[in-house]
Amino acid sequence: MRVVGVIPAAGSAKRLQPLPCSKEVYPVGGRPVMDYLVERMRAASCSELRVVTRPDKLDVVAHAHELGALVVEAEPASLAESIALGLPGLDDADVVLVGLPDTIWEPIDGFVSLLEHLHEGASAVLGVFESDEPERSDVVVLDRSGLVRSIHVKEGLPPGRLVWGCAAARVGAFAGLERHREPGRHFAALAAAGRLRAVRFPGTMVDIGTPAALAAL
């Protein structure tokens, strides 16, 4: 079994323009923001990194190579497609760690916790966080045992404030992902089948994907 980190970094960041660089390598705390995600993946003994990005994002391509990652150059139409492009060649039993390269969250060993729950029998496990803007994300509804009951994708009036920001799943659990634009839709189907769990992490997830969030750093 391999543990592979898939980093979807093909977005255009239209809301943030003009930026001097791609948002994934925008410096936060003295280093490219995507390095925080890489650090967390490597803390979970991730044996391989795959960065999916567009060919014209030369700074992301160059930095991914510096990190020793496999670069998948493509022009995916959606976030779900970007993740799916990082999966070819993996066995169904291999484990994939997924995170968003424009976010920062704690704890550093968060993926380790997700893997522990994955080995307990779940098909996929989400890391969830409190959010001050849940309508911008996918809201996750849990039961007391940590089983995901439902996921609400970017709803105007979401039924809570918990949002997912990272995931660990066996490759087989991603079958059919390409049929959705948002990975949250795929996770919602897993939740409906009783195959999705979540681990609640302390604090909030910092997302630099908006001008307001970037200015607050």
Side-chain angles (χ1 to χ4, degrees), residues 27-123:
V28 175
R31 56 176 170 161
V33 65
M34 70 181 290
D35 284 13
Y36 292 91
L37 176 61
V38 170
E39 177 182 47
R40 284 146 179 73
M41 288 179 167
R42 286 179 168 160
S45 300
C46 178
S47 61
E48 181 183 343
L49 292 174
R50 297 183 176 190
V51 176
V52 181
T53 192
R54 298 198 319 271
D56 62 323
K57 299 182 75 166
L58 300 180
D59 49 0
V60 175
V61 172
H63 189 60
H65 283 307
E66 291 173 1
L67 293 169
L70 171 69
V71 177
V72 179
E73 295 188 23
E75 296 187 5
S78 66
L79 177 58
E81 183 183 354
S82 185
I83 295 171
L85 286 167
L87 305 179
L90 299 177
D91 295 333
D92 281 354
D94 289 338
V95 172
V96 171
L97 308 179
V98 175
L100 305 177
D102 56 352
T103 62
I104 304 172
W105 44 264
E106 299 293 343
I108 290 177
D109 63 351
F111 280 118
V112 176
S113 297
L114 300 190
L115 289 177
E116 290 172 352
H117 285 76
L118 189 67
H119 294 323
E120 292 173 0
S123 296

Side-chain angles (χ1 to χ4, degrees), residues 148-202:
V148 178
R149 291 302 186 189
S150 60
I151 295 181
H152 304 262
V153 179
K154 296 179 175 62
E155 292 185 359
L157 295 172
R161 297 179 56 212
L162 285 180
V163 302
W164 76 270
C166 56
R170 299 195 185 280
V171 172
F174 284 113
L177 174 63
E178 66 282 353
R179 294 197 294 266
H180 305 277
R181 286 194 58 83
E182 299 286 346
R185 304 286 184 192
H186 183 75
F187 289 139
L190 292 179
R195 299 170 54 199
L196 186 64
R197 300 194 69 83
V199 177
R200 185 169 178 169
F201 292 136

Side-chain angles (χ1 to χ4, degrees), residues 15-16 23 102 133 136 207-217:
R15 291 177 297 179
L16 295 178
K23 68 174 180 177
D102 56 352
E133 298 179 290
R136 291 185 54 232
D207 178 355
I208 72 163
T210 67
L214 198 60
L217 292 174

